Amino acid sequence: MKSFINVFQALALSSLAGVAVFLSSAPAAWAGVPTISVEQMSPLIDGANEKGTRFRGYGLTVFEGTEPERFEVEFRSILWNHEGKEHRYLVKLTDSPNRKEKILAKATIVSGMSGSPVYVTVGGKDKLVGAVSFGFPFAKEWLGGVTPIEYMLAIGERPLEKREDLWDKASAELPGGAQKISTPLYISGFAPKAMGLVRKQFQGTSIVPMAGGGSSGHLAEKYKDVTLKPGSAIGLQLVSGDFDWTAAGTVTWVDGDKILAFGHSFYDLGEAAYPLTTAYVQAVIPVLQTSFKLSSPIRPVGSSTQDRNAAVAGLLGKTAKMIPVRYVVRNIKQEKIQGRKVEDVYNVNVANDNLFSPFLMRMVLANVLSLSEPGAKDNTVFIKTKIKFKGYEPIEIDDAYYNFGEAFNSNIFNPVAAVTSNPMKKVALESLDVEISIDHDFKIAYIAEVRTDAKKVKPGKMIDVAVTLASYNRDNWVANIKVPIPADIQPGTQTINIYGGGSVGWLTDLKAFYGIGVKSVEDMLALFRERIRGDAIVSEMVYPTVGIRVHGKVYPNIPDTVRWTLMENNELEVSAAEQAARHFTIMDWAVYGGGVIQIEVEE
């Protein structure tokens, strides 16, 4: 995958005035904690180095519980133009001498410390330098980097804009062998198989999915009065409800309702409205490569607004909209044995993001099926999906798939991904409801032959068609279907296509994703409303109508004089219209393949 392009350019000295303005409205509690720039820090660090000493400061982070603790910071140098034209501080972190149990002496880089604020005392006043943000894997001492505060504050001046490609991934690698401190993504309620899928997706990024504890009523009640302040543990929540996904970091800066955290991006999403939570740290777990804070979210207290190279910015007191998703899983064979409905119901809320939401829904579904059907092998899945987009009537899609070795099939979410990422108009997903019925018999059939005894037929009548179906686990059998002949079809030899819905359903998704014949969001929604289900035998007759097609839209029953006049106008993209008459016979098998028959339509 391609690496992210750094979205920040250096503000250098010209940004200091803007930073001063951004800080001017700081509350009284923070009026005495100004910032200090790279330019101001440079002579202090160089002067101490020339004397054979080190310029020192301190930082704040939570090692256990919810209260920030002090640690010591020793400035080694400034890494000029370390990330593009942005500078970084090279520092060494050590435990506070007042702390009995030493953490940093044995933990080196600690995942979850990203964003921990670093201060220096100059002229008797504490000044905010920046946030802990990167380190060196396998280092024998805690050497790492600090993102200068001026780059973080500049996020407040950037316009809200989103990235366009979710999987154009940001590498954790930085110049000089450094790495962004990884962001632990704590996931609760996931089966090992589903966790493996999530880890694979984030491989090569700075996000490390880990099994952890989700939010709970106990934590929310016991720590309901905890607020976010510099050094506090913070969560960025992607999924809540029956399962929980929360990324862990540390708060750098608070000014009224404004907040900065992490000291680097979460996923460089640009505009990003995810819930921000208070968090409880159970412990710091020392590991040779990258130690980590084990933490759990407590309760939402705000929303992120931007996810940028230097920080995650947000607003306290703001509610981030989540998308409610409901999954119901039924086992057809078990229901037959027990003689009653057997279903597992899961309710989650996922982050409202046109790029991330479909991925989150896929991963949650993979987990739902891993929990409900852990031993699923070859199977057939029948799906009912109800999708509600804001401002549009709900879309209801019935479909069927066959699966080898598991019950998960991500095609369910193609309509969501296509509509929410369309280039024509911003469309918000309001809710999603998915009911999945799993048949552990591998019920896939191929159309081996189609035939009819009808030779001639009048318009508006029915003919009988015998469809021979083949499957590897049973003898061939015949499905007898009735095919209606359109009342407005012209006399003469006509072709009837007979095919399985499983062979063509994916074409709808392809047309939507690539905009084939799609001029508007309404066109795209119409495609999915008419999506051919995979468990249908379809009879289709395509024939000319007394109408025209203008810019892809069909206008039927146009008078001849008008039709001829319009078709002579080359600028209108007018052509003779055709109509497709389809009839569906629903099976309890996923049907593929097809055949053709011809009939003579009489006057």
Side-chain angles (χ1 to χ4, degrees):
M1 296 289 180
K2 297 178 292 183
S3 297
F4 281 140
I5 298 173
N6 288 335
V7 294
F8 292 107
Q9 300 299 322
L11 299 175
L13 305 180
S14 62
S15 68
L16 294 179
V19 171
V21 171
F22 198 48
L23 286 170
S24 62
S25 61
W30 285 96
V33 187
T35 63
I36 186 168
S37 70
V38 174
E39 181 197 27
Q40 294 166 326
M41 282 290 293
S42 180
L44 300 176
I45 295 171
D46 291 344
N49 288 345
E50 290 169 2
K51 294 177 182 178
T53 60
R54 299 293 187 190
F55 191 65
R56 299 182 185 277
Y58 70 93
L60 295 174
T61 201
V62 177
F63 292 117
E64 186 175 349
T66 60
E67 193 61 31
E69 297 182 48
R70 176 175 172 140
F71 57 89
E72 304 304 312
V73 180
E74 179 184 284
F75 288 85
R76 295 293 181 88
S77 65
I78 295 174
L79 302 175
W80 300 101
N81 300 323
H82 187 256
E83 296 184 42
K85 292 184 178 180
E86 291 188 5
H87 317 310
R88 296 292 186 264
Y89 299 103
L90 181 65
V91 298
K92 178 182 178 180
L93 307 186
T94 56
D95 294 289
S96 169
N98 297 325
R99 198 176 208 286
K100 292 182 179 179
E101 182 185 359
K102 303 304 180 185
I103 299 292
L104 300 179
K106 57 185 177 182
T108 61
I109 300 175
V110 179
S111 181
M113 276 189 73
S114 297
S116 298
V118 172
Y119 304 89
V120 295
T121 304
V122 179
K125 293 183 178 180
D126 287 346
K127 297 187 177 184
L128 178 59
V129 176
V132 174
S133 60
F134 69 85
F136 298 88
F138 301 108
K140 294 184 178 180
E141 57 182 351
W142 216 124
L143 282 176
V146 169
T147 299
I149 186 61
E150 53 258 50
Y151 303 135
M152 299 177 68
L153 288 168
I155 292 175
E157 301 172 357
R158 286 189 63 94
L160 293 179
E161 54 192 5
K162 296 185 72 66
R163 58 179 303 187
E164 297 181 355
D165 182 3
L166 180 61
W167 302 120
D168 182 14
K169 297 181 183 178
S171 172
E173 298 290 335
L174 296 173
Q179 285 189 2
K180 283 197 295 186
I181 296 176
S182 59
T183 301
L185 177 59
Y186 289 110
I187 298 177
S188 67
F190 262 51
K193 186 174 183 178
M195 277 294 292
L197 289 175
V198 178
R199 289 193 181 102
K200 183 178 180 180
Q201 192 63 66
F202 285 109
Q203 189 174 1
T205 74
S206 60
I207 297 174
V208 180
M210 297 181 178
S215 56
S216 69
H218 172 74
L219 281 176
E221 178 60 30
K222 185 174 181 179
Y223 298 102
K224 61 184 179 182
D225 296 327
V226 170
T227 58
L228 293 178
K229 57 188 177 183
S232 293
I234 187 173
L236 183 76
Q237 197 165 51
L238 282 69
V239 177
S240 63
D242 289 340
F243 313 116
D244 193 287
W245 289 32
T246 302
T250 302
V251 176
T252 307
W253 178 87
V254 178
D255 176 8
D257 62 349
K258 302 182 186 73
I259 188 168
L260 294 170
F262 286 85
H264 56 64
S265 66
F266 164 66
Y267 206 73
D268 213 0
L269 294 167
E271 180 185 355
Y274 294 179
L276 296 176
T277 75
T278 50
Y280 179 87
V281 177
Q282 283 90 358
V284 174
I285 311 298
V287 179
L288 182 61
Q289 181 176 5
T290 303
S291 304
F292 60 92
K293 293 183 182 182
L294 186 62
S295 66
S296 299
I298 298 175
R299 63 184 182 91
V301 293
S303 171
S304 66
T305 55
Q306 302 246 30
D307 174 30
R308 301 290 184 180
N309 186 55
V312 172
L315 292 173
L316 298 175
K318 182 178 180 180
T319 301
K321 185 182 183 305
M322 302 282 273
I323 301 170
V325 182
R326 178 176 177 265
Y327 296 100
V328 178
V329 182
R330 298 176 54 213
N331 186 312
I332 294 176
K333 183 171 285 188
Q334 195 173 357
E335 289 183 353
K336 289 178 180 178
I337 294 173
Q338 297 187 17
R340 62 181 182 86
K341 181 181 284 189
V342 179
E343 63 182 27
D344 294 326
V345 181
Y346 302 88
N347 291 286
V348 297
N349 300 298
V350 303
N352 186 15
D353 185 285
N354 66 324
L355 293 177
F356 234 126
S357 298
F359 163 70
L360 296 173
M361 293 171 186
R362 285 186 179 98
M363 294 299 99
V364 172
L365 176 60
N367 184 56
V368 162
L369 294 173
S370 292
L371 294 173
S372 295
E373 299 292 332
K377 294 184 179 179
D378 293 351
N379 60 83
T380 310
V381 177
F382 301 89
I383 301 166
K384 293 180 179 293
T385 306
K386 185 175 182 179
I387 310 169
K388 178 66 176 73
F389 295 105
K390 187 176 181 179
Y392 299 93
E393 290 298 313
I395 298 174
E396 297 187 17
I397 301 173
D398 288 353
D399 214 337
Y401 303 99
Y402 69 93
N403 297 292
F404 293 102
E406 58 180 312
F408 175 60
N409 194 309
S410 65
N411 291 341
I412 300 168
F413 301 102
N414 285 344
V416 173
V419 176
T420 56
S421 62
N422 84 84
M424 297 169 288
K425 180 181 177 181
K426 185 175 181 179
V427 180
L429 175 64
E430 286 192 337
S431 64
L432 177 69
D433 196 296
V434 181
E435 181 178 315
I436 303 170
S437 299
I438 300 174
D439 193 328
H440 287 271
D441 289 332
F442 189 54
K443 303 180 77 172
I444 174 174
Y446 289 88
I447 295 176
E449 183 186 19
V450 293
R451 55 185 175 83
T452 182
D453 293 331
K455 302 299 181 184
K456 295 182 179 181
V457 63
K458 292 185 178 294
K461 299 297 183 179
M462 290 270 192
I463 64 169
D464 293 317
V465 175
V467 180
T468 302
L469 298 169
S471 181
Y472 80 94
N473 57 1
R474 63 172 288 180
D475 294 335
N476 290 5
W477 76 104
V478 175
N480 293 303
I481 67 172
K482 291 188 177 294
V483 176
I485 306 303
D488 60 346
I489 197 168
Q490 298 297 309
T493 302
Q494 300 289 350
T495 298
I496 303 177
N497 294 302
I498 308 291
Y499 56 87
S503 297
V504 297
W506 62 274
L507 287 173
T508 299
D509 304 341
L510 189 69
K511 288 179 180 179
F513 275 117
Y514 290 97
I516 301 172
V518 174
K519 304 289 186 180
S520 66
V521 172
E522 289 76 9
D523 289 347
M524 187 176 290
L525 296 176
L527 269 179
F528 287 117
R529 286 195 175 95
E530 298 170 3
R531 193 180 195 280
I532 297 173
R533 54 193 290 175
D535 56 350
I537 296 177
V538 186
S539 61
E540 179 182 84
M541 297 183 71
V542 179
Y543 58 98
T545 65
V546 183
I548 57 173
R549 183 183 300 272
V550 182
H551 293 296
K553 186 173 182 180
V554 173
Y555 296 88
N557 303 319
I558 300 293
D560 289 345
T561 55
V562 176
R563 185 170 74 254
W564 294 332
T565 300
L566 290 174
M567 289 184 67
E568 290 176 356
N569 189 331
N570 296 328
E571 295 181 0
L572 290 179
E573 297 182 20
V574 178
S575 61
E578 290 184 329
Q579 182 169 323
R582 295 191 185 100
H583 179 72
F584 304 93
T585 303
I586 307 303
M587 311 290 288
D588 61 349
W589 291 68
V591 185
Y592 295 80
V596 174
I597 57 175
Q598 287 189 326
I599 57 168
E600 194 69 26
V601 177
E602 298 180 316
E603 292 280 355

PDB file of all heavy atoms in Angstrom, residues 42-56 75-76:
ATOM      1  N   SER A  42      15.525  26.167  20.830  1.00  0.00           N
ATOM      2  CA  SER A  42      16.812  25.816  20.238  1.00  0.00           C
ATOM      3  C   SER A  42      18.014  26.318  21.041  1.00  0.00           C
ATOM      4  O   SER A  42      18.912  25.524  21.370  1.00  0.00           O
ATOM      5  CB  SER A  42      16.864  26.315  18.793  1.00  0.00           C
ATOM      6  OG  SER A  42      18.102  25.987  18.197  1.00  0.00           O
ATOM      7  N   PRO A  43      18.090  27.618  21.415  1.00  0.00           N
ATOM      8  CA  PRO A  43      19.261  28.062  22.177  1.00  0.00           C
ATOM      9  C   PRO A  43      19.325  27.460  23.575  1.00  0.00           C
ATOM     10  O   PRO A  43      20.423  27.287  24.123  1.00  0.00           O
ATOM     11  CB  PRO A  43      19.092  29.581  22.231  1.00  0.00           C
ATOM     12  CG  PRO A  43      17.644  29.833  21.987  1.00  0.00           C
ATOM     13  CD  PRO A  43      17.206  28.757  21.072  1.00  0.00           C
ATOM     14  N   LEU A  44      18.189  27.133  24.161  1.00  0.00           N
ATOM     15  CA  LEU A  44      18.185  26.523  25.490  1.00  0.00           C
ATOM     16  C   LEU A  44      18.780  25.113  25.449  1.00  0.00           C
ATOM     17  O   LEU A  44      19.575  24.727  26.313  1.00  0.00           O
ATOM     18  CB  LEU A  44      16.756  26.463  26.034  1.00  0.00           C
ATOM     19  CG  LEU A  44      16.038  27.816  26.202  1.00  0.00           C
ATOM     20  CD1 LEU A  44      14.593  27.598  26.648  1.00  0.00           C
ATOM     21  CD2 LEU A  44      16.774  28.700  27.202  1.00  0.00           C
ATOM     22  N   ILE A  45      18.398  24.349  24.418  1.00  0.00           N
ATOM     23  CA  ILE A  45      18.925  22.984  24.277  1.00  0.00           C
ATOM     24  C   ILE A  45      20.411  23.032  23.922  1.00  0.00           C
ATOM     25  O   ILE A  45      21.230  22.313  24.516  1.00  0.00           O
ATOM     26  CB  ILE A  45      18.128  22.216  23.214  1.00  0.00           C
ATOM     27  CG1 ILE A  45      16.676  22.028  23.665  1.00  0.00           C
ATOM     28  CG2 ILE A  45      18.768  20.847  22.935  1.00  0.00           C
ATOM     29  CD1 ILE A  45      15.760  21.465  22.591  1.00  0.00           C
ATOM     30  N   ASP A  46      20.766  23.890  22.949  1.00  0.00           N
ATOM     31  CA  ASP A  46      22.176  23.993  22.532  1.00  0.00           C
ATOM     32  C   ASP A  46      23.051  24.487  23.671  1.00  0.00           C
ATOM     33  O   ASP A  46      24.178  23.997  23.872  1.00  0.00           O
ATOM     34  CB  ASP A  46      22.297  24.934  21.332  1.00  0.00           C
ATOM     35  CG  ASP A  46      21.683  24.353  20.072  1.00  0.00           C
ATOM     36  OD1 ASP A  46      21.448  23.129  20.050  1.00  0.00           O
ATOM     37  OD2 ASP A  46      21.420  25.124  19.131  1.00  0.00           O
ATOM     38  N   GLY A  47      22.555  25.472  24.432  1.00  0.00           N
ATOM     39  CA  GLY A  47      23.348  26.018  25.537  1.00  0.00           C
ATOM     40  C   GLY A  47      23.659  24.981  26.594  1.00  0.00           C
ATOM     41  O   GLY A  47      24.787  24.898  27.087  1.00  0.00           O
ATOM     42  N   ALA A  48      22.666  24.140  26.933  1.00  0.00           N
ATOM     43  CA  ALA A  48      22.897  23.090  27.923  1.00  0.00           C
ATOM     44  C   ALA A  48      23.866  22.046  27.389  1.00  0.00           C
ATOM     45  O   ALA A  48      24.770  21.588  28.112  1.00  0.00           O
ATOM     46  CB  ALA A  48      21.574  22.439  28.306  1.00  0.00           C
ATOM     47  N   ASN A  49      23.712  21.686  26.115  1.00  0.00           N
ATOM     48  CA  ASN A  49      24.621  20.691  25.524  1.00  0.00           C
ATOM     49  C   ASN A  49      26.066  21.187  25.515  1.00  0.00           C
ATOM     50  O   ASN A  49      27.007  20.423  25.772  1.00  0.00           O
ATOM     51  CB  ASN A  49      24.179  20.363  24.093  1.00  0.00           C
ATOM     52  CG  ASN A  49      22.898  19.539  24.053  1.00  0.00           C
ATOM     53  OD1 ASN A  49      22.476  18.978  25.072  1.00  0.00           O
ATOM     54  ND2 ASN A  49      22.272  19.468  22.889  1.00  0.00           N
ATOM     55  N   GLU A  50      26.266  22.482  25.224  1.00  0.00           N
ATOM     56  CA  GLU A  50      27.624  23.040  25.194  1.00  0.00           C
ATOM     57  C   GLU A  50      28.274  23.035  26.568  1.00  0.00           C
ATOM     58  O   GLU A  50      29.509  22.973  26.677  1.00  0.00           O
ATOM     59  CB  GLU A  50      27.571  24.463  24.641  1.00  0.00           C
ATOM     60  CG  GLU A  50      27.243  24.511  23.144  1.00  0.00           C
ATOM     61  CD  GLU A  50      26.938  25.915  22.656  1.00  0.00           C
ATOM     62  OE1 GLU A  50      27.025  26.863  23.486  1.00  0.00           O
ATOM     63  OE2 GLU A  50      26.592  26.076  21.467  1.00  0.00           O
ATOM     64  N   LYS A  51      27.459  23.066  27.616  1.00  0.00           N
ATOM     65  CA  LYS A  51      27.994  23.041  28.990  1.00  0.00           C
ATOM     66  C   LYS A  51      28.189  21.615  29.502  1.00  0.00           C
ATOM     67  O   LYS A  51      28.615  21.413  30.636  1.00  0.00           O
ATOM     68  CB  LYS A  51      27.043  23.788  29.919  1.00  0.00           C
ATOM     69  CG  LYS A  51      26.950  25.282  29.627  1.00  0.00           C
ATOM     70  CD  LYS A  51      25.927  25.936  30.553  1.00  0.00           C
ATOM     71  CE  LYS A  51      25.788  27.422  30.243  1.00  0.00           C
ATOM     72  NZ  LYS A  51      24.767  28.069  31.107  1.00  0.00           N
ATOM     73  N   GLY A  52      27.839  20.617  28.651  1.00  0.00           N
ATOM     74  CA  GLY A  52      27.981  19.221  29.067  1.00  0.00           C
ATOM     75  C   GLY A  52      26.842  18.738  29.931  1.00  0.00           C
ATOM     76  O   GLY A  52      26.945  17.691  30.576  1.00  0.00           O
ATOM     77  N   THR A  53      25.741  19.480  29.929  1.00  0.00           N
ATOM     78  CA  THR A  53      24.555  19.060  30.688  1.00  0.00           C
ATOM     79  C   THR A  53      23.407  18.858  29.709  1.00  0.00           C
ATOM     80  O   THR A  53      23.598  18.870  28.496  1.00  0.00           O
ATOM     81  CB  THR A  53      24.174  20.123  31.729  1.00  0.00           C
ATOM     82  OG1 THR A  53      23.890  21.355  31.058  1.00  0.00           O
ATOM     83  CG2 THR A  53      25.326  20.334  32.713  1.00  0.00           C
ATOM     84  N   ARG A  54      22.208  18.698  30.239  1.00  0.00           N
ATOM     85  CA  ARG A  54      21.025  18.551  29.394  1.00  0.00           C
ATOM     86  C   ARG A  54      19.949  19.525  29.860  1.00  0.00           C
ATOM     87  O   ARG A  54      19.790  19.742  31.068  1.00  0.00           O
ATOM     88  CB  ARG A  54      20.452  17.114  29.470  1.00  0.00           C
ATOM     89  CG  ARG A  54      21.405  16.034  28.999  1.00  0.00           C
ATOM     90  CD  ARG A  54      21.704  16.111  27.503  1.00  0.00           C
ATOM     91  NE  ARG A  54      22.482  14.954  27.061  1.00  0.00           N
ATOM     92  CZ  ARG A  54      23.042  14.855  25.877  1.00  0.00           C
ATOM     93  NH1 ARG A  54      22.908  15.851  24.994  1.00  0.00           N
ATOM     94  NH2 ARG A  54      23.728  13.778  25.544  1.00  0.00           N
ATOM     95  N   PHE A  55      19.243  20.088  28.896  1.00  0.00           N
ATOM     96  CA  PHE A  55      18.102  20.916  29.254  1.00  0.00           C
ATOM     97  C   PHE A  55      16.956  19.982  29.619  1.00  0.00           C
ATOM     98  O   PHE A  55      16.660  19.029  28.900  1.00  0.00           O
ATOM     99  CB  PHE A  55      17.712  21.822  28.080  1.00  0.00           C
ATOM    100  CG  PHE A  55      16.712  22.877  28.447  1.00  0.00           C
ATOM    101  CD1 PHE A  55      17.033  23.871  29.351  1.00  0.00           C
ATOM    102  CD2 PHE A  55      15.441  22.867  27.886  1.00  0.00           C
ATOM    103  CE1 PHE A  55      16.109  24.848  29.692  1.00  0.00           C
ATOM    104  CE2 PHE A  55      14.515  23.839  28.222  1.00  0.00           C
ATOM    105  CZ  PHE A  55      14.855  24.841  29.140  1.00  0.00           C
ATOM    106  N   ARG A  56      16.297  20.263  30.725  1.00  0.00           N
ATOM    107  CA  ARG A  56      15.329  19.309  31.272  1.00  0.00           C
ATOM    108  C   ARG A  56      13.940  19.913  31.396  1.00  0.00           C
ATOM    109  O   ARG A  56      13.764  21.121  31.516  1.00  0.00           O
ATOM    110  CB  ARG A  56      15.796  18.804  32.641  1.00  0.00           C
ATOM    111  CG  ARG A  56      17.124  18.080  32.577  1.00  0.00           C
ATOM    112  CD  ARG A  56      17.565  17.548  33.934  1.00  0.00           C
ATOM    113  NE  ARG A  56      18.894  16.969  33.858  1.00  0.00           N
ATOM    114  CZ  ARG A  56      19.147  15.734  33.447  1.00  0.00           C
ATOM    115  NH1 ARG A  56      18.146  14.947  33.089  1.00  0.00           N
ATOM    116  NH2 ARG A  56      20.383  15.270  33.399  1.00  0.00           N
ATOM    117  N   PHE A  75      16.080  16.854  27.157  1.00  0.00           N
ATOM    118  CA  PHE A  75      16.161  17.217  25.740  1.00  0.00           C
ATOM    119  C   PHE A  75      17.566  16.957  25.214  1.00  0.00           C
ATOM    120  O   PHE A  75      18.549  17.469  25.756  1.00  0.00           O
ATOM    121  CB  PHE A  75      15.790  18.688  25.553  1.00  0.00           C
ATOM    122  CG  PHE A  75      14.331  18.963  25.750  1.00  0.00           C
ATOM    123  CD1 PHE A  75      13.825  19.197  27.029  1.00  0.00           C
ATOM    124  CD2 PHE A  75      13.462  18.968  24.680  1.00  0.00           C
ATOM    125  CE1 PHE A  75      12.478  19.436  27.226  1.00  0.00           C
ATOM    126  CE2 PHE A  75      12.100  19.211  24.871  1.00  0.00           C
ATOM    127  CZ  PHE A  75      11.613  19.446  26.150  1.00  0.00           C
ATOM    128  N   ARG A  76      17.677  16.176  24.145  1.00  0.00           N
ATOM    129  CA  ARG A  76      18.968  15.865  23.539  1.00  0.00           C
ATOM    130  C   ARG A  76      19.290  16.806  22.375  1.00  0.00           C
ATOM    131  O   ARG A  76      20.392  17.318  22.264  1.00  0.00           O
ATOM    132  CB  ARG A  76      18.987  14.416  23.042  1.00  0.00           C
ATOM    133  CG  ARG A  76      18.890  13.371  24.156  1.00  0.00           C
ATOM    134  CD  ARG A  76      20.130  13.390  25.038  1.00  0.00           C
ATOM    135  NE  ARG A  76      20.089  12.404  26.087  1.00  0.00           N
ATOM    136  CZ  ARG A  76      20.512  11.145  25.963  1.00  0.00           C
ATOM    137  NH1 ARG A  76      21.004  10.717  24.806  1.00  0.00           N
ATOM    138  NH2 ARG A  76      20.450  10.322  26.979  1.00  0.00           N
TER     139      ARG A  76
END
